């Protein structure tokens, strides 16, 4: 089947199939993040379980993409942009797989938060989540359509997500200090917020990969950084997924 | 210079240079994690600053490794194990770069912890850190010497680090509940512990990559998982760096 696949297909078709597989995998991750967020406000246990179980689909998608890439590298000897596209697919699949893990972790945490959460905090998480999902969608579109402009726009947006993270973080700390009995569940929210901030960092990495794939150039300049670290504990680090 | 480099070198020499570059980069990350840990107990501001500044060396090392890989894929068309080794170098460099970011984040947080920390907590962090550094060293040795056995051993050790993380996590929560004024600095420690647990997860990923590179087979079975999630907030997820 795989051999047949390879024999009848042109190189262009193989590259298109690779791009399509990465886009499909990205769509699964987008759905996972959106559903994981829904579990927090709705306390939807069944949906949380579904997010956790469906993470296996992302892992399998990554393995399939890596098999396609190995076949292309071994049999097609891609050059120039074709080679950049093949390597980009490998890197994007790794970022998407981690985004799926982060969504799974959010779902796990939502299953373990029995306390009633303040509406402002839930709203803050939802805002961050919407931004993260939008960034993921946008960078996947930039990859699918080969538009470096879309990648640059995602790359520039990360500051906004970091700012939301930093302010939400401080709100959560205050909340813990006011009611120490809520420290356990609030800690789940701290890590959920961190996971969303890291999803944004992965989207930024993906934007850099897509831009390089399209242009052969790295995105110039240093990405804006909101995190000051003057206050306790964000220590977000956009030059890597922390 | 690069062209000359390529012209005079044999393929074997290029692969050896690639492996050496990954090992060197790994050594930088090992040093960064060890130094970041030292900054916590010693409150060594200068050392923390050095860890933060030297992270740029890891980023540059990764770029250089990716340049080597692109050249090898474009000019040498590696097959079978050579191809697995080339792709492995790309993946390992990505894991090592993130380990460097996590060490940098630990150093940043240590700069922002003014409170006096309970000795038991500092010891717990140090124990986790020693385990993480040992795992990194071991998986780098397995890669350098091409010993899949060493990779399997690292892969099996992650459970121990997760157990340390879970118990330290609960200790930190208790500490916050007992003294809410310490919530800020203790949150830094929560994230430092999480960073160390994630460094262990990266070492596990690297072990899987090294094993596949050497054997062409994935490490069989499911890696042991200590995290139960019955208690607040660890939600560690070793099938991905969370």
């Amino acid at each position: 089947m795989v051999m047949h696949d390879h024999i009848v297909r042109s190189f262009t078709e193989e590259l298109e199939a690779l791009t399509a597989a990465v886009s499909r995998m990205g769509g699964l991750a987008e759905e996972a993040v959106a559903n994981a967020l829904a579990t927090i406000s709705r306390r939807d246990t069944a949906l949380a379980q579904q997010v956790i179980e469906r993470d296996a689909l992302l892992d399998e998608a990554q393995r399939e993409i890596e098999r396609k890439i190995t076949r292309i590298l071994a049999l097609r000897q891609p050059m120039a942009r074709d080679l950049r596209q093949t390597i980009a697919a490998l890197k994007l699949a790794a970022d998407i797989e981690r985004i799926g893990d982060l969504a799974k972790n959010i779902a796990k945490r939502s299953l373990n938060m029995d306390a009633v959460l303040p509406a402002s905090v839930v709203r803050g998480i939802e805002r961050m989540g919407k931004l993260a999902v939008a960034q993921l969608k946008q960078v996947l579109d930039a990859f699918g359509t080969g538009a470096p402009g879309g990648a640059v726009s995602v790359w520039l947006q990360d500051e906004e997500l970091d700012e939301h993270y930093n302010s939400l973080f401080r709100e959560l700390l205050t909340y813990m200090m006011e009611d120490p009995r809520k420290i356990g569940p609030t800690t789940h929210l701290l890590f959920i917020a961190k996971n969303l901030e890291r999803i944004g960092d992965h989207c930024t990495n993906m934007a850099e990969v897509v831009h390089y794939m399209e242009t052969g150039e790295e995105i110039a300049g240093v990405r804006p950084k909101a995190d000051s670290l003057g206050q306790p504990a964000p220590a977000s680090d956009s030059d890597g997924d922390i």
Side-chain angles (χ1 to χ4, degrees), chain A:
Chain A
M1 170 55 192
V2 164
M3 281 311 294
H4 170 74
D5 192 43
H6 152 61
I7 288 161
V8 298
R9 273 194 168 156
S10 74
F11 181 24
T12 310
E13 284 169 326
E14 271 197 66
L15 276 181
E16 283 166 358
L18 177 61
T19 301
V22 172
S23 298
R24 269 197 311 278
M25 185 184 177
L28 285 173
E30 216 179 296
E31 180 191 275
V33 177
N35 286 342
L37 283 164
T39 63
I40 297 168
S41 42
R42 284 204 244 131
R43 292 306 165 80
D44 186 336
T45 310
L47 186 59
Q49 285 297 352
Q50 191 207 79
V51 170
I52 293 164
E53 282 153 19
R54 285 173 64 88
D55 185 58
L57 298 179
L58 279 154
D59 298 341
E60 177 47 36
Q62 183 186 23
R63 280 190 291 273
E64 176 53 32
I65 285 163
E66 294 193 350
R67 282 190 288 269
K68 285 187 196 299
I69 287 164
T70 306
R71 198 164 67 237
I72 287 172
L73 289 173
L75 303 174
R76 303 295 198 169
Q77 285 100 43
M79 305 289 286
R81 191 194 177 289
D82 293 341
L83 179 56
R84 291 203 305 273
Q85 183 176 345
T86 308
I87 293 174
L90 187 73
K91 292 179 157 193
L92 294 174
D95 276 309
I96 295 168
E97 190 272 334
R98 290 201 171 87
I99 289 171
D101 286 332
L102 291 161
K104 177 181 172 181
N105 183 263
I106 290 171
K108 281 186 179 181
R109 293 184 184 279
S110 78
L111 285 177
N112 287 272
M113 283 189 301
D114 34 23
V116 176
L117 308 170
S120 69
V121 166
V122 173
R123 271 197 308 276
I125 293 276
E126 283 171 343
R127 264 196 308 274
M128 276 193 80
K130 282 198 179 65
L131 276 170
V133 172
Q135 281 194 26
L136 178 55
K137 192 180 181 337
Q138 197 175 349
V139 74
L140 289 168
D141 292 347
F143 172 68
T145 60
V152 172
S153 144
V154 170
W155 190 73
L156 292 171
Q157 274 168 44
D158 193 55
E159 187 179 15
E160 191 182 349
L161 197 55
D162 289 342
E163 281 164 0
H164 275 77
Y165 171 66
N166 293 344
S167 66
L168 181 58
F169 191 94
R170 290 172 180 80
E171 190 179 350
L172 289 169
L173 281 194
T174 313
Y175 180 57
M176 283 200 276
M177 291 175 196
E178 285 167 356
D179 187 355
R181 293 161 307 166
K182 295 284 172 65
I183 284 174
T186 309
T187 307
H188 276 306
L189 290 174
L190 280 178
F191 278 99
I192 287 171
K194 168 54 87 178
N195 286 351
L196 292 171
E197 186 264 344
R198 286 182 53 218
I199 288 170
D201 288 342
H202 281 294
C203 291
T204 307
N205 294 345
M206 292 167 72
E208 290 170 359
V209 169
V210 169
H211 186 273
Y212 183 78
M213 173 185 90
E214 290 300 330
T215 65
E217 305 287 335
E218 289 181 7
I219 290 184
V222 174
R223 190 156 43 75
K225 192 78 218 69
D227 167 38
S228 70
L229 249 180
Q231 298 281 334
S236 156
D237 203 335
S238 297
D239 59 351
D241 64 318
I242 286 187

